[in-house]
Amino acid sequence: MAANQKMMSQMTGKDGFIAALDQSGGSTPAALRLYGISDSDYSGEDDMFRLMHKMRVRIMTASSFSGSKVIGAILFEKTMDGDVGGRPVPDFLWEERSVVPFLKIDKGLAAEENGVQVMKPMPDLDSLLTRAVKKGIFGTKMRSVIAHADRSGIAAVVKQQFEIARRILDYGLVPIIEPEVLIKSPTKQEAETILRDEIAQELDKYTSGEKVMIKLSLPTVANFYKPLIDHISVARVVALSGGYSCADACEKLSHNDGMIASFSRALAEDLRVTMSDAEFDAGLSRAVEQIYNASVFKTAATASGQKLEATDN
């Protein structure tokens, strides 16, 4: 079985979750501050990304970071191009850790219009996808943002996501489509309803055998995205933590049958640069176990369709 077939089998059928290690230029300073590295501890973008890569390597080489529970990892472009102990990161993840490598490909968000932010243009997308294939990347991830339940805005987000997903599929890569509904949106539930319908319409256009993945905010109503999870053209639906703490995100995720985590900040929220290796490994192990359990073991409430927003404030 070819590597990409093994990866697809893992992504569609194995218990576990996806780690998001893809903070980019805009989100890296906050991630470093949470880790215990202040803005004054580095000078310039190169130094910032060097420290971020060092943190990511520490996560990737921890004993708990393996395919037994972490089935995939989303990488920033500079991380894809980096190495772990002299070995290319995608190769290390798959060959040493049995973790499927993905690549974040978007270049950030355009200004808000009609209640949403579509992705900025990606003029170098084809060259980036070509490099990703050569480096052994399995799939990609791209993020848009939905702030309000504006039907035309949400339709534009989904249209752009699926147009670019088609180009990604042409390279033999599996796209993760991420239209994030902000958890503090005053019209979150209404936006989710429009979003689910728009995504379903696009999925119905796919031919047999084509697969995408979808990354979504945890829904207001339990199991709201089950129709997408069950769609023949969806390999997996994963959840972003969206600003919730790890505990809150895991609690909400546990009510959504078939949905697994793809957390970033929530995965690393208790990790600090000052920790000893033993302390760091123990802290990461606790987070991995908590997120894995929420992804795999669901509560009886998954069948109830109950609202899950009571603990938001």
Side-chain angles (χ1 to χ4, degrees):
M1 184 183 291
N4 65 330
Q5 291 176 305
K6 290 181 180 178
M7 291 180 187
M8 178 62 85
S9 178
Q10 177 156 310
M11 293 316 305
T12 56
K14 189 172 182 179
D15 286 340
F17 69 94
I18 298 173
L21 306 178
D22 60 338
Q23 296 93 342
S24 57
S27 55
T28 295
L32 287 175
R33 285 194 291 270
L34 182 65
Y35 186 47
I37 298 175
S38 69
D39 296 6
S40 61
D41 290 331
Y42 55 87
S43 58
E45 190 173 87
D46 288 344
D47 200 24
M48 177 183 74
F49 284 125
R50 178 186 62 80
L51 291 170
M52 194 71 222
H53 185 71
K54 190 174 180 180
M55 174 189 171
R56 288 171 176 152
V57 168
R58 202 175 184 193
I59 291 172
M60 290 185 287
T61 55
S63 59
S64 59
F65 197 87
S66 75
S68 61
K69 291 179 179 173
V70 184
I71 59 173
I74 304 170
L75 308 175
F76 180 50
E77 183 179 348
K78 288 181 180 292
T79 310
M80 176 188 74
D81 291 334
D83 65 83
V84 179
R87 189 165 192 177
V89 169
D91 183 54
F92 171 83
L93 285 173
W94 181 241
E95 297 297 334
E96 296 294 330
R97 296 293 166 141
S98 298
V99 174
V100 176
F102 290 82
L103 174 67
K104 167 187 159 63
I105 61 166
D106 67 82
K107 302 301 181 185
L109 302 167
E112 184 175 322
E113 185 176 350
N114 296 326
V116 306
Q117 289 177 275
V118 298
M119 295 176 286
K120 289 180 178 178
M122 293 177 258
D124 300 324
L125 179 60
D126 289 307
S127 62
L128 179 60
L129 295 177
T130 298
R131 285 201 296 118
V133 170
K134 289 179 180 178
K135 287 179 176 287
I137 293 292
F138 171 75
T140 64
K141 191 215 78 167
M142 49 189 173
R143 172 178 173 263
S144 312
V145 166
I146 297 167
H148 299 283
D150 183 291
R151 185 171 295 277
S152 63
I154 294 173
V157 161
V158 174
K159 181 175 184 290
Q160 182 191 43
Q161 285 273 351
F162 275 87
E163 284 177 348
I164 298 174
R166 165 55 54 201
R167 294 172 64 185
I168 293 162
L169 286 164
D170 288 344
Y171 279 85
L173 298 166
V174 176
I176 299 177
I177 291 164
E178 183 184 6
E180 176 183 355
V181 178
L182 297 178
I183 64 172
K184 296 302 182 183
S185 169
T187 52
K188 179 173 179 283
Q189 188 171 353
E190 295 90 337
E192 289 166 347
T193 299
I194 298 169
L195 177 62
R196 186 181 68 176
D197 292 346
E198 291 290 335
I199 291 175
Q201 289 177 31
E202 290 294 336
L203 289 172
D204 287 344
K205 299 175 185 177
Y206 275 38
T207 60
S208 178
E210 293 180 315
K211 298 282 186 183
V212 300
M213 296 173 62
I214 308 172
K215 183 168 179 174
L216 300 166
S217 303
L218 289 155
T220 305
V221 176
N223 281 333
F224 185 75
Y225 291 123
K226 196 68 166 63
L228 303 183
I229 293 169
D230 294 337
H231 198 285
I232 191 171
S233 295
V234 175
R236 207 92 183 225
V237 174
V238 302
L240 57 103
S241 53
Y244 292 124
S245 69
C246 188
D248 285 347
C250 286
E251 195 280 330
K252 293 177 186 297
L253 177 60
S254 70
H255 294 271
N256 287 275
D257 188 40
M259 199 175 201
I260 67 171
S262 177
F263 295 169
S264 175
R265 186 193 56 77
L267 173 66
E269 68 181 15
D270 291 332
L271 304 179
R272 300 293 181 269
V273 67
T274 53
M275 286 177 164
S276 67
D277 287 344
E279 290 170 334
F280 185 93
D281 289 352
L284 183 62
S285 180
R286 286 192 296 271
V288 166
E289 192 70 22
Q290 185 178 19
I291 297 168
Y292 173 82
N293 288 340
S295 296
V296 175
F297 303 111
K298 304 300 182 179
T299 70
T302 57
S304 72
Q306 69 185 62
K307 288 190 72 169
L308 299 174
E309 294 300 298
T311 60
D312 279 1
N313 297 321

